[in-house]
Amino acid sequence: MTLILGASAFYRKANGKPIIPRLPKDALYSERAASGRWANNCLMVALTKDAIGVIPFFPFTLGFLPEVYRLEREILLKHVRRVTVRTSAWGLNVAIDYGPAERTLKLKLRDPDAFANALVGLGVKVIRS
């Protein structure tokens, strides 16, 4: 186990990825305990004027978890096609459709309305359902 954790820490450092990530100070919206597919309350989500960033917080950055489960994303706002916000207390309540391959990232945020309002302020199309 120690070998795997050490190898993943080395891999992250070698690829310029943080082992102990921090939320950006210039974030328009940020959350530390978001959930997503394969991840329950261990993701940090940050919206800046240019991108939506999603990364697990330490210690979930180790063990190659972000790489295996694709938990780490940086989605440039210019690639976001639409964001759908659902009023749901239980399930994933935000869906971000992005990129030329039309991928979708689904998240559960504690304050999806604040996230949506910040996106609207940046000119991103938000659908509320």
Side-chain angles (χ1 to χ4, degrees):
M1 185 56 119
T2 304
L3 183 62
I4 292 171
L5 295 176
S8 69
F10 178 78
Y11 173 84
R12 291 191 68 77
K13 275 295 208 193
N15 287 288
K17 297 179 177 183
I19 295 169
I20 302 174
R22 307 268 185 243
L23 289 167
K25 293 188 186 312
D26 63 342
L28 304 172
Y29 174 87
S30 65
E31 184 173 322
R32 182 171 161 73
S35 298
R37 187 175 177 207
W38 311 109
N40 191 22
N41 297 327
C42 66
L43 298 175
M44 296 190 315
V45 176
L47 171 64
T48 65
K49 64 181 180 74
D50 298 315
I52 301 167
V54 179
I55 188 169
F57 55 80
F58 182 82
F60 301 102
T61 52
L62 299 177
F64 297 102
L65 293 174
E67 290 78 22
V68 171
Y69 294 107
R70 296 193 58 206
L71 300 177
E72 198 167 18
R73 311 270 177 98
E74 183 177 26
I75 303 168
L76 297 177
L77 290 183
K78 67 182 180 181
H79 294 250
V80 174
R81 297 183 182 277
R82 79 186 144 274
V83 175
T84 305
V85 176
R86 292 178 171 73
T87 52
S88 169
W90 301 104
L92 303 174
N93 55 16
V94 172
I96 303 164
D97 298 317
Y98 67 98
E102 296 201 27
R103 291 193 160 146
T104 300
L105 173 63
K106 294 182 179 178
L107 298 168
K108 181 176 182 187
L109 302 178
R110 297 195 193 286
D111 194 352
D113 289 325
F115 180 72
N117 292 339
L119 284 167
V120 167
L122 294 170
V124 174
K125 181 178 179 182
V126 175
I127 300 168
R128 297 175 197 260
S129 63

